[in-house]
């Protein structure tokens, strides 16, 4: 074999090896996705659906690996956004509540008794206010792709029915790590106790706290009625949208086709999960009642007493969230 032919064969061999390496590398691109809840809950199912759709349509070039139960942040869900922004997590399907310490604009959805129904949620997330929220997230190093739904949060406790603010007087209520929640329950006369969801169920079991607030899906799947939560009030005091998002630096390393794929599949997974969550709401409520839980539904007059009791919280937090954002959301709600 001549030197020229040897070099040609060597070049071909090296080129083939390089192409094989690139192909393997492309197939092996895996992004970590954090969620707070497992696939037993709609929240976890949203992330799994996203991963499933990406796997189906990426021809193996891109995969999503879901890490539920906040395991990538040692169980502390309030650290999820910071971990994603710093690159410790590639992507997440996260809660507006859990990300609000780093993105104050997300407190919009936690303003007590501000967003009254599902039509209002859709008007806010699908309009100018939703775009402003996504801009706020992106300005902090994370690319938001789509909305999902954790649902309206209801309150339960072990003491008795809650139908007016006085019924909350002195009750120890487990809340997430957000100052807005502390202010809301303080205004209602309760004793808010901050803890992660990992710690919440043991605390309810031992009676260290009297009650908690969560969407019906969480109450149902986690069987919160089994930890002495026999009184549930439907008060829709706030909504907790989910957001599909990716670390900005990771996003920039993806091809345009991969970015389009991630965005389109996130949108599809979000729409699927939102519809499923809403469709299951009445079934979950019926199942909860069948297990002997006393359910209180507020009249319009009773609802208004809670609105009035938390007005000071709204006035304190609206400027922190951003007056223009709150006004855009209010306009969307009024026009729904």
């Amino acid at each position: 074999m001549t030197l020229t032919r040897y070099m040609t064969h060597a070049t071909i061999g090296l080129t083939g090896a390089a192409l094989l390496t690139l192909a393997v590398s492309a197939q092996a691109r895996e992004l970590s996705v954090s969620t707070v809840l497992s696939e037993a809950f709609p929240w976890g199912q949203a992330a799994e659906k996203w991963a499933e759709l990406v796997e189906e349509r990426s021809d193996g070039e891109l995969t999503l690996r879901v890490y539920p139960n906040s395991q990538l942040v040692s169980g502390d869900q309030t650290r999820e956004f910071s971990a994603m922004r710093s690159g410790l997590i590639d992507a997440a399907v996260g809660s507006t509540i859990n990300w609000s310490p780093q993105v104050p604009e997300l407190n919009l959805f936690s303003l007590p008794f501000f967003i009254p129904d599902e039509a209002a949620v859709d008007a806010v997330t699908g309009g100018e206010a939703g775009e402003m929220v996504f801009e706020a997230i992106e300005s902090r190093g994370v690319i938001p792709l789509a909305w999902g739904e954790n649902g309206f949060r209801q309150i339960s406790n072990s003491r008795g029915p809650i139908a007016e603010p006085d019924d909350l007087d002195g009750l120890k209520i487990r809340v997430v790590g957000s100052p807005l929640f502390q202010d809301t329950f303080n205004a209602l006369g309760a004793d808010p106790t901050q803890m992660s969801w990992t710690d919440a169920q043991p605390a309810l079991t031992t009676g260290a706290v009297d009650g908690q607030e969560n969407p019906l899906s969480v109450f149902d799947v986690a069987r919160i009625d089994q930890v002495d939560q026999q009184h549930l009030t439907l008060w829709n005091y706030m909504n907790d949208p989910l957001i599909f998002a990716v670390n900005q630096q990771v996003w920039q390393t993806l091809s345009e086709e991969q970015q389009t794929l991630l965005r389109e599949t996130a949108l599809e997974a979000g729409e699927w999960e939102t519809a499923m969550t809403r469709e299951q709401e009445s079934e979950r409520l019926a199942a909860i009642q069948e297990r002997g839980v006393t359910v209180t539904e507020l009249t319009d007059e009773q609802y208004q007493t809670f609105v009035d009791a938390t007005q000071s919280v709204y006035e304190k937090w609206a400027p922190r969230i951003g007056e223009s954002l709150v006004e855009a959301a209010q306009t969307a709600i009024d026009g729904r």
Side-chain angles (χ1 to χ4, degrees):
M1 180 182 293
T2 65
L3 179 60
T4 300
R5 289 182 64 192
Y6 173 82
M7 291 181 66
T8 300
H9 281 284
T11 301
I12 291 172
L14 287 171
T15 302
L19 290 172
L20 178 61
T21 300
L22 286 173
V24 172
S25 175
Q27 291 175 354
R29 185 67 189 272
E30 180 181 275
L31 304 184
S32 60
V33 180
S34 174
T35 66
V36 169
L37 297 178
S38 72
E39 61 181 326
F41 302 83
W43 186 341
Q45 291 166 21
E48 292 291 349
K49 183 70 171 180
W50 190 19
E52 176 188 317
L53 292 172
V54 169
E55 183 175 6
E56 287 176 357
R57 299 174 191 176
S58 69
D59 296 324
E61 293 183 2
L62 187 65
T63 59
L64 304 181
R65 183 176 179 183
V66 180
Y67 293 84
N69 302 316
S70 304
Q71 59 184 285
L72 296 180
V73 286
S74 303
D76 184 357
Q77 61 238 48
T78 60
R79 290 175 47 212
E80 185 176 68
F81 187 86
S82 295
M84 180 167 46
R85 180 170 57 185
S86 67
L88 295 176
I89 295 172
D90 296 325
V93 179
S95 154
T96 57
I97 298 171
N98 293 333
W99 295 1
S100 64
Q102 291 80 39
V103 188
E105 290 86 351
L106 291 176
N107 284 301
L108 173 73
F109 300 97
S110 298
L111 278 175
F113 306 99
F114 178 61
I115 300 178
D117 51 38
E118 291 171 351
V121 174
D122 293 342
V124 171
T125 58
E128 180 186 2
E131 293 175 1
M132 293 169 73
V133 169
F134 270 22
E135 288 170 3
I137 294 172
E138 187 165 351
S139 72
R140 291 169 174 87
V142 170
I143 305 298
L145 303 177
W147 297 96
E149 182 157 291
N150 198 23
F152 281 100
R153 298 176 78 91
Q154 319 298 357
I155 189 167
S156 70
N157 81 103
S158 59
R159 299 286 189 88
I162 294 173
E164 58 183 32
D166 287 347
D167 294 331
L168 277 158
D169 190 35
L171 289 185
K172 292 183 179 179
I173 304 295
R174 174 267 173 178
V175 296
V176 296
S178 166
L180 177 48
F181 281 69
Q182 298 276 346
D183 287 348
T184 297
F185 282 93
N186 280 329
L188 293 170
D191 180 7
T193 303
Q194 176 185 327
M195 61 179 65
S196 70
W197 181 240
T198 304
D199 297 327
Q201 286 180 287
L204 291 165
T205 301
T206 62
V209 293
D210 300 310
Q212 61 84 52
E213 48 77 54
N214 256 307
L216 287 184
S217 61
V218 175
F219 189 101
D220 182 31
V221 177
R223 294 302 300 269
I224 297 178
D225 52 287
Q226 292 184 341
V227 289
D228 205 22
Q229 297 295 287
Q230 293 299 310
H231 302 279
L232 175 67
T233 294
L234 306 181
W235 64 344
N236 284 18
Y237 89 114
M238 59 151 293
N239 192 273
D240 184 22
L242 301 176
I243 298 175
F244 295 69
V246 180
N247 167 276
Q248 189 173 61
Q249 292 179 331
V250 169
W251 182 257
Q252 291 170 349
T253 66
L254 300 173
S255 67
E256 185 175 344
E257 291 77 12
Q258 289 173 327
Q259 290 178 354
T260 299
L261 173 68
L262 276 182
R263 191 183 301 277
E264 288 180 349
T265 52
L267 286 165
E268 186 172 334
E271 291 172 359
W272 172 84
E273 185 268 341
T274 297
M276 176 187 66
T277 300
R278 293 178 180 180
E279 288 170 4
Q280 293 176 347
E281 197 83 342
S282 60
E283 295 176 8
R284 293 193 185 282
L285 180 58
I288 291 167
Q289 289 176 304
E290 287 174 5
R291 297 199 293 266
V293 176
T294 299
V295 176
T296 300
E297 297 190 51
L298 302 181
T299 65
D300 291 342
E301 292 75 15
Q302 289 172 326
Y303 181 87
Q304 189 59 43
T305 64
F306 285 98
V307 174
D308 295 340
T310 54
Q311 183 61 29
S312 62
V313 181
Y314 175 92
E315 293 171 354
K316 175 181 178 179
W317 279 88
R320 298 184 182 188
I321 295 167
E323 295 286 4
S324 60
L325 174 56
V326 174
E327 289 174 5
Q330 186 65 67
T331 298
I333 294 169
D334 293 342
R336 70 189 187 284

